Amino acid sequence: MINNDTADIFKAESIQDFIDNATIGIHSVDGTGKIIYANKAELKLLGYDASEYLGRNIQDFHADKDSIENIFLKLTGVSEVKEHPAKLICKDGSIKHVLINSSGYYQNGTLIHTRCFTRDITEHFKDKSALKESKVNMRFMADTMPQQVWTARPDGSLDYVNKRVTENFESSVEEIIGEGWIHFVHSQDQDNCIERWKSSLQSGEPYQVEFRLKVNEEYRWHLGRAIPLVIDGSIVKWFGTNTDIHEHKVSEEKKDAFISIASHELKTPLTNIKSFVQLAKRTIEPSGKAFEFLTKADNHVLNLQNLISDLLDVSKFNAGMLTYNFSDFNFADLVSESIEAIKPGLTTHKIILENHADVIFNGDRFRIEQVIANFLSNALKYSPDADTVIVRTAIEEGNIVVEIQDFGIGIPEEHLSKIFERFYRVDNTSMKFQGLGLGLFISSVIIKRHQGSFWIESKPGAGSTFHFLLPLTLSQPDLDIETDNETFYKSDFIDIKYNNELKQLDVNWTGFQNIDTVKAGGMVMLQLLKFNGCAKVLNDNTFVKGNWSEAADWAGQVWFPMMEEAGLEVFAWIYSPITFSALAARKSVNVMVGNVVSRFFTSTQEAQIWLSSYTGSPGQKKG
Ligand code: ATP
Ligand code: MG
């Protein structure tokens, strides 16, 4: 491998051996460009025998002639070292991408030879060009989509929009990216849009908002959605779409406008009918058949009135026009009055009242009465074979908690989380019992407006208990916090400890939870998990008191991926005894993105045994 003329360059045999067998390619050329030395790695890299390589001009092996000038001709000083990219031609005709590190040796100002170290970067180059190709493909795909597609930096400023956006806005990319997009949002929707975007940026929660965008000089309704890409526990990018929902939105508005007008028009004649029925009742004997018929007619008119006012409320809510009048009132009095109001027409059931909420509450009296009436009318309607409904009110942890219990048909578990949706009715009841499926939807809207929440315990055949909670003072930051920011954190609703012996986080949730407490607690867990580099969590919900947490989607799609990035592998979850809370826990695992292994338990001991013995078997993905 060594040219006889230049054998004296390598004095010591051991050095020559070292260079010959080095894993990096080494070759040397003389002042004229003739190759005078190449080691084994160099020959192997290009696939030549020594006889095919040595003695030839280096130019023959360079696919890009410009790089030769950089590597060999621009050397000036004696010990100058440079690294240049080059493409070398292999024996089989393929090209190797290399970096050549060259140094020139001069005698009396004349270049005697150049030594080169050849580093193969073909794979890296392939990766880079594959990345470039996939970027080009992604952009092409995004440009062919009928929706507006965009990406944003973690601070919320847009850094990419697809072709559809520039076409719709008739503007350049530069005018839209950064903060420019907001000028294309209808002025009435801008505040809500910015507020929601900021709140998503802060919480990492998927962003979803409806707004009007100026498309070719016309404002059209769009549904904007975005989800964050989380790497190493931090958001690195947001991916979003805006979908045109204008036609659908306009037809919904038309439908609501129709319902609203129709209900209004129906109200007046109905009030007249009711007045005449009552007048008629006064003119006849209460013991006769006619009186009985008129009483029945009266009840049906009342049902119709309630139905119409529900429809009207829903159309008002959809149009954002459901109004509230807040005032102070005694809560226990309101509950008693609501019950008294329905008692006269009640022949089938007795209502037992355990009223312990003798406090002043600030809220909309009429609307809260509507909630109680809805829960009560359901309890009575869906327990035709029972004779009792129990209403309990209490003050717990600064909240009013109301329970309405019946001993009726009950609700199968799979329907529990859905019955608060608009027009949702459990199939087997819809034929037997009258209703539109609006009462619980309207109640949930009213409760939420008072920053409250609701949950249900139910057993088919045994009955249901509906609960709702109203905070006496509106949410305040939790002030009673104890923490060292490293190994423990304790507040009114969560207790987190890093267990150094078992290398796990021990987490206990207590009391009523809502979306805010779940998110706040979740983020502290993330911080402590990261700090202590642990992979296991024992999450105990035994002392959670009811509630359906709307944070289930956030937990599954945002929080679990962040926890996984931070090192979480196993999550043992001890159920809350409250069905609704357990449903929320299951939902977050069902929508979970990622590979965290999670399992549910009813006992802390069993959960601990599983967690301690867990070594990671692939069949055990989700609980
Ligand atoms: P309306 O609009 O007149 O209230 P509705 O009673 O059907 O009609 P919701 O009050 O919203 O509507 O209740 C939704 C569904 O939930 C009901 O159709 C019923 O299937 C179920 N449901 C509600 N309360 C109970 C209950 N106490 N027991 C059993 N099922 C119930
Ligand atoms: Mg109802």
Side-chain angles (χ1 to χ4, degrees):
M1 280 191 304
I2 194 154
N3 191 311
N4 283 337
D5 304 343
T6 51
D8 59 342
I9 294 172
F10 300 99
K11 293 273 187 303
E13 254 181 39
S14 59
I15 294 181
Q16 187 178 335
D17 189 50
F18 172 72
I19 294 171
D20 277 349
N21 293 300
T23 50
I24 190 165
I26 301 172
H27 66 281
S28 183
V29 301
D30 70 9
T32 66
K34 194 168 75 171
I35 304 169
I36 52 177
Y37 171 76
N39 74 347
K40 285 181 191 165
E42 175 86 12
L43 296 172
K44 192 175 169 208
L45 174 70
L46 302 176
Y48 296 105
D49 289 337
S51 59
E52 295 164 321
Y53 199 55
L54 298 181
R56 286 179 61 185
N57 196 296
I58 192 69
Q59 290 211 25
D60 300 345
F61 300 96
H62 276 259
D64 178 2
K65 303 296 175 213
D66 290 349
S67 57
I68 297 187
E69 191 179 336
N70 287 329
I71 299 164
F72 300 99
L73 306 184
K74 285 196 180 159
L75 294 169
T76 49
V78 173
S79 58
E80 189 171 2
V81 177
K82 294 197 164 185
E83 192 165 54
H84 295 282
K87 291 180 208 162
L88 296 182
I89 305 163
C90 303
K91 188 175 174 183
D92 64 7
S94 65
I95 299 288
K96 288 273 184 219
H97 292 266
V98 295
L99 280 179
I100 295 183
N101 191 318
S102 58
S103 45
Y105 286 79
Y106 296 79
Q107 261 174 16
N108 305 324
T110 310
L111 181 64
I112 301 298
H113 71 264
T114 309
R115 275 189 200 163
C116 301
F117 293 87
T118 312
R119 194 147 60 90
D120 182 10
I121 55 163
T122 311
E123 284 309 312
H124 169 72
F125 197 84
K126 267 193 210 154
D127 287 351
K128 257 178 109 174
S129 53
L131 187 69
K132 197 170 159 196
E133 190 186 326
S134 90
K135 268 189 180 168
V136 170
N137 286 349
M138 286 303 292
R139 296 216 158 182
F140 180 76
M141 195 172 83
D143 281 342
T144 57
M145 303 249 301
Q147 281 129 321
Q148 295 190 348
V149 177
W150 50 270
T151 62
R153 298 187 192 96
D155 69 358
S157 55
L158 294 202
D159 57 2
Y160 164 78
V161 290
N162 72 344
K163 223 173 174 174
R164 172 74 46 178
V165 182
T166 52
E167 281 169 4
N168 281 171
F169 294 169
E170 297 175 298
S171 301
S172 66
V173 173
E174 290 69 31
E175 286 170 295
I176 301 164
I177 57 169
E179 310 295 329
W181 60 277
I182 198 73
H183 302 298
F184 301 94
V185 178
H186 194 290
S187 58
Q188 285 174 9
D189 304 334
Q190 282 184 4
D191 286 351
N192 180 39
C193 194
I194 293 173
E195 197 184 304
R196 297 283 281 276
W197 186 216
K198 276 188 183 159
S199 125
S200 283
L201 291 176
Q202 240 172 19
S203 62
E205 197 175 9
Y207 165 77
Q208 179 154 331
V209 71
E210 288 183 5
F211 47 54
R212 280 160 288 181
L213 286 177
K214 196 173 183 181
V215 172
N216 306 331
E217 295 306 309
E218 178 204 3
Y219 280 104
R220 293 182 67 81
W221 279 103
H222 281 73
L223 171 69
R225 303 175 88 159
I227 51 166
L229 172 67
V230 177
I231 295 179
D232 285 339
S234 312
I235 293 171
V236 292
K237 215 175 189 57
W238 286 85
F239 289 83
T241 52
N242 299 330
T243 310
D244 190 320
I245 51 164
H246 195 71
E247 306 308 331
H248 169 75
K249 189 87 181 167
V250 167
S251 78
E252 284 284 300
E253 278 173 0
K254 278 190 188 149
K255 194 177 78 196
D256 283 335
F258 170 76
I259 291 176
S260 167
I261 293 167
S263 342
H264 252 295
E265 294 302 311
L266 285 169
K267 252 179 147 179
T268 322
L270 207 60
T271 314
N272 291 340
I273 295 173
K274 190 160 180 76
S275 312
F276 284 119
V277 169
Q278 282 174 353
L279 275 178
K281 272 169 85 178
R282 274 188 223 152
T283 60
I284 54 170
E285 278 297 311
S287 53
K289 267 276 176 228
F291 189 89
E292 193 189 317
F293 293 153
L294 282 176
T295 306
K296 282 192 174 151
D298 200 12
N299 287 341
H300 284 297
V301 172
L302 184 68
N303 286 344
L304 204 54
Q305 271 183 323
N306 288 339
L307 201 143
I308 287 169
S309 89
D310 276 359
L311 279 174
L312 205 57
D313 278 349
V314 170
S315 60
K316 275 191 199 157
F317 170 75
N318 290 345
M321 282 159 60
L322 199 62
T323 51
Y324 294 85
N325 294 311
F326 279 71
S327 66
D328 282 347
F329 59 88
N330 181 293
F331 199 85
D333 289 351
L334 169 77
V335 178
S336 308
E337 284 164 33
S338 310
I339 291 171
E340 288 310 313
I342 60 162
K343 264 188 183 164
L346 202 62
T347 50
T348 48
H349 295 71
K350 65 174 182 299
I351 300 175
I352 299 171
L353 173 63
E354 295 171 12
N355 203 358
H356 303 291
D358 190 9
V359 278
I360 300 297
F361 178 71
N362 183 270
D364 187 319
R365 198 176 197 283
F366 170 76
R367 295 282 176 204
I368 300 288
E369 183 170 354
Q370 200 178 346
V371 172
I372 297 170
N374 278 336
F375 283 126
L376 266 178
S377 82
N378 282 350
L380 297 166
K381 178 162 58 168
Y382 298 111
S383 65
D385 301 326
D387 60 2
T388 312
V389 166
I390 305 172
V391 179
R392 297 185 191 90
T393 72
I395 310 290
E396 282 190 56
E397 299 172 19
N399 304 293
I400 295 174
V401 181
V402 182
E403 272 178 43
I404 291 148
Q405 184 177 10
D406 66 57
F407 302 90
I409 60 169
I411 303 162
E413 195 176 297
E414 64 271 24
H415 297 282
L416 280 183
S417 61
K418 300 194 199 111
I419 59 174
F420 285 87
E421 288 168 15
R422 198 175 354 167
F423 300 118
Y424 191 89
R425 308 197 73 214
V426 178
D427 353 312
N428 64 344
T429 58
S430 55
M431 301 305 277
K432 279 189 253 159
F433 304 93
Q434 276 185 357
L436 283 180
L438 287 179
L440 291 181
F441 170 71
I442 294 169
S443 303
S444 74
V445 168
I446 297 170
I447 294 169
K448 281 185 202 158
R449 178 66 183 78
H450 288 80
Q451 294 205 4
S453 52
F454 42 82
W455 64 102
I456 317 166
E457 290 297 308
S458 188
K459 257 209 178 93
S464 316
T465 307
F466 282 72
H467 308 247
F468 69 92
L469 169 153
L470 299 169
L472 279 168
T473 43
L474 297 187
S475 60
Q476 277 184 355
D478 199 333
L479 298 175
D480 264 344
I481 292 172
E482 293 165 32
T483 180
D484 64 355
N485 291 319
E486 292 179 2
T487 57
F488 76 92
Y489 177 97
K490 185 173 172 26
S491 79
D492 285 348
F493 62 88
I494 196 168
D495 187 347
I496 312 173
K497 279 193 203 90
Y498 173 60
N499 184 331
N500 193 27
E501 202 181 314
L502 297 171
K503 303 274 177 272
Q504 69 186 35
L505 277 194
D506 290 334
V507 183
N508 278 293
W509 297 82
T510 4
F512 298 108
Q513 306 290 338
N514 60 33
I515 189 161
D516 296 328
T517 60
V518 170
K519 279 188 185 169
M523 292 317 276
V524 180
M525 284 167 75
L526 177 67
Q527 185 194 330
L528 295 196
L529 184 102
K530 243 191 216 177
F531 187 88
N532 294 294
C534 66
K536 294 182 176 185
V537 171
L538 184 71
N539 189 66
D540 195 338
N541 279 12
T542 308
F543 297 104
V544 166
K545 281 206 193 136
N547 253 349
W548 165 253
S549 171
E550 286 158 304
D553 285 330
W554 172 83
Q557 289 166 3
V558 179
W559 183 73
F560 267 116
M562 287 201 273
M563 290 287 279
E564 189 177 356
E565 288 283 344
L568 175 68
E569 288 172 21
V570 212
F571 197 86
W573 203 321
I574 299 136
Y575 270 137
S576 158
I578 310 291
T579 318
F580 231 47
S581 177
L583 275 179
R586 278 211 296 276
K587 183 174 179 205
S588 36
V589 168
N590 285 340
V591 300
M592 186 207 284
V593 178
N595 295 306
V596 171
V597 179
S598 172
R599 191 181 269 195
F600 291 102
F601 297 89
T602 45
S603 109
T604 311
Q605 212 184 352
E606 277 173 29
Q608 185 59 68
I609 292 170
W610 176 75
L611 201 59
S612 299
S613 67
Y614 182 82
T615 48
S617 72
Q620 274 181 309
K621 274 269 162 73
K622 291 178 178 183

